[in-house]
Amino acid sequence: MQVSVETTQGLERRLTITVPAEQVDGEVNGRLRQLAKTRRIDGFRPGKAPLTVIKKMFGASVEEDVAGDLMQRNFFEAVISEKLNPAGMPTLAPAALKAGEDFTFIATFEVYPEVEVKGLDAVSIEKPQAQVQDEDLDKMIETLRKQHADWVVVDREATTDDRVTMNFVGSVDGAEFEGGAAEDFVLVLGSGRMIPGFEEGLMGKKVGDDFTLEVNFPEEYHAENLKGKPAQFAVSVTKVEAQELPELTEEFVKRFGIADGAIDGLKAEVRKNMDRELAQALKAAVKEQVIDGLLEQNPVDVPKSLVDNEIETLRKQALQRFGGADQANVPQLPAELFQEQAERRVRVGLLLGEVIKKNEIKADDAKVQEIIAGMSSAYEDPSEVVAYYNENPEMLENVRNLAIEDQAIEFVLSQAKVTDKQVTFDELMNKSGTGA
């Protein structure tokens, strides 16, 4: 076998591989002889058909099979001998396979980049410090009351937290636009569902008011024809409702699984959940900064094949979020939606993989059990969940991988410049997107 390696662009490599004629002919003739022994051919006793007849009947398919096998086998031998690390399967372009001639094919593929993690001491981390305060707990209890509130019709001007029912028709440059009209549309003021200026324009309005809102679509609006455009909405308010919050009665408390209906029991359970969410948010905030710093200090090219695989994974996850939708009828989501996220994930994987490899990081059993305990704490019987993970090898291996990643993050953190920063519960939870 002869091999030549060419760097075409970036991480792409092109191998030209030549297999000697005697090896090719030996493979083809060997398979033809095997067929002659096993195939029944009309006019000949079993196993007695001449090789020329067998070749005429089966030669083309045998040559095709031999070419495929030779390419696969010799490609892997070539990348090993040339010390190449393919990032995905190659594209193979064979020449015609002919008796008595060398067989040449071209394999085009990408290789993994050479990754060297450095500059960890230049990574700066602001490690947030926060605790659940009594006022945070009170706000969360208030949020629970709002989530279970009743709505009552009021005869007054609308204000924040009121629910307004309306009809509206939107227009741009004097013409109505698609999706810009609705009847009996319900909106809670202060929810931030509408474009800037819309909800503010409803403040102080009451049932029977007819008016026009002058607003501007944001520059980053999803509809291309509306980006940055001034718009007018003709609005008619048909109902204003206020929240009627439930009292903190025994009946209300029991809705949350507190058997004795005691408010102290509810507060204890809510605080426990808030503590757990806070711990997760603190960890996530540090991890995000570590990864940002790692990426900033270590630019790395990424193989397109790995990015394409990651895009497909993200696309499938997005489709799963459609829930019960018939995925066969969902339009193919464009790759551009996931390109940036996919590239980031591949880069992070390569860099953390190098940190893990270079520092010989192995899953710490205590860390594994800590992660399992954290995941199980949200369940009614945590011991059942812990047992399930520990008795399921596949699930346990997934947790081990999480532990290794956490330990790699902790290693980078140990090398970085870390300063503590006091933050409030609300600040941290709102930034992480998990706040109530």
Side-chain angles (χ1 to χ4, degrees), residues 121-409:
D121 57 348
V123 175
S124 295
I125 306 294
E126 283 190 341
K127 192 173 183 180
Q129 304 290 320
Q131 291 183 324
V132 177
Q133 305 293 340
D134 288 344
E135 55 266 31
D136 299 320
L137 178 60
D138 292 341
K139 286 177 67 175
M140 189 60 71
I141 296 293
E142 188 71 4
T143 298
L144 294 178
R145 293 178 68 200
K146 288 181 178 179
Q147 290 173 350
H148 292 79
D150 292 323
W151 293 98
V152 294
V153 175
V154 293
D155 183 19
R156 59 165 172 77
E157 296 177 345
T159 188
T160 302
D161 293 334
D162 283 348
R163 190 165 73 176
V164 176
T165 304
M166 75 198 91
N167 304 322
F168 62 78
V169 177
S171 60
V172 170
D173 298 328
E176 295 183 22
F177 57 89
E178 185 177 355
E183 292 188 358
D184 296 327
F185 184 83
V186 178
L187 176 67
V188 176
L189 300 189
S191 62
R193 286 177 54 198
M194 308 299 280
I195 61 175
F198 194 99
E199 292 184 29
E200 292 84 347
L202 294 171
M203 296 290 185
K205 305 300 182 183
K206 59 183 184 300
V207 173
D209 283 353
D210 297 313
F211 53 95
T212 299
L213 291 178
E214 302 279 348
V215 295
N216 283 289
F217 281 98
E219 292 292 343
E220 66 276 10
Y221 196 68
H222 61 85
E224 193 67 36
N225 62 316
L226 298 176
K227 287 183 177 180
K229 293 285 186 69
Q232 299 75 41
F233 285 87
V235 182
S236 176
V237 176
T238 59
K239 187 190 298 183
V240 176
E241 298 168 285
Q243 285 185 332
E244 190 173 80
L245 302 184
E247 297 296 325
L248 292 176
T249 61
E250 182 177 315
E251 180 185 357
F252 176 79
V253 171
K254 285 182 177 180
R255 294 185 191 180
F256 301 93
I258 309 302
D260 62 4
I263 184 62
D264 287 345
L266 175 62
K267 287 184 175 182
E269 186 65 26
V270 170
R271 184 183 283 275
K272 184 175 74 172
N273 291 335
M274 292 174 72
D275 284 336
R276 182 174 61 249
E277 291 178 5
L278 178 61
Q280 293 171 349
L282 288 168
K283 178 180 175 181
V286 171
K287 180 178 180 180
E288 183 179 8
Q289 290 184 70
V290 167
I291 288 174
D292 286 345
L294 194 61
L295 291 170
E296 184 180 352
Q297 296 297 324
N298 296 275
V300 59
D301 291 334
V302 290
K304 182 178 181 299
S305 54
L306 295 186
V307 174
D308 288 344
N309 290 342
E310 196 63 43
I311 286 173
E312 192 56 34
T313 298
L314 292 169
R315 182 183 275 140
K316 288 178 180 177
Q317 291 173 353
L319 287 176
Q320 288 171 357
R321 287 195 289 272
F322 278 98
D326 183 0
Q327 295 188 8
N329 295 324
V330 175
Q332 177 81 326
L333 298 172
E336 295 76 26
L337 285 177
F338 311 104
Q339 184 75 30
E340 186 176 343
Q341 184 183 1
E343 288 183 1
R344 176 182 170 90
R345 286 174 63 158
V346 171
R347 286 192 177 92
V348 171
L350 291 172
L351 291 170
L352 285 181
E354 182 60 19
V355 170
I356 292 165
K357 176 184 174 183
K358 184 177 180 180
N359 297 283
E360 299 181 347
I361 296 175
K362 309 292 183 185
D364 179 77
D365 288 340
K367 185 74 173 178
V368 171
Q369 294 305 315
E370 178 187 327
I371 293 174
I372 293 174
M375 292 188 294
S376 65
S377 64
Y379 291 85
E380 185 174 346
D381 187 348
S383 62
E384 284 188 4
V385 181
V386 171
Y388 172 75
Y389 272 93
N390 283 310
E391 293 168 6
N392 187 317
E394 184 177 346
M395 299 293 288
L396 191 58
E397 185 61 27
N398 289 338
V399 179
R400 287 185 179 279
N401 291 334
L402 290 176
I404 291 173
E405 182 179 284
D406 283 355
Q407 290 168 232
I409 294 292

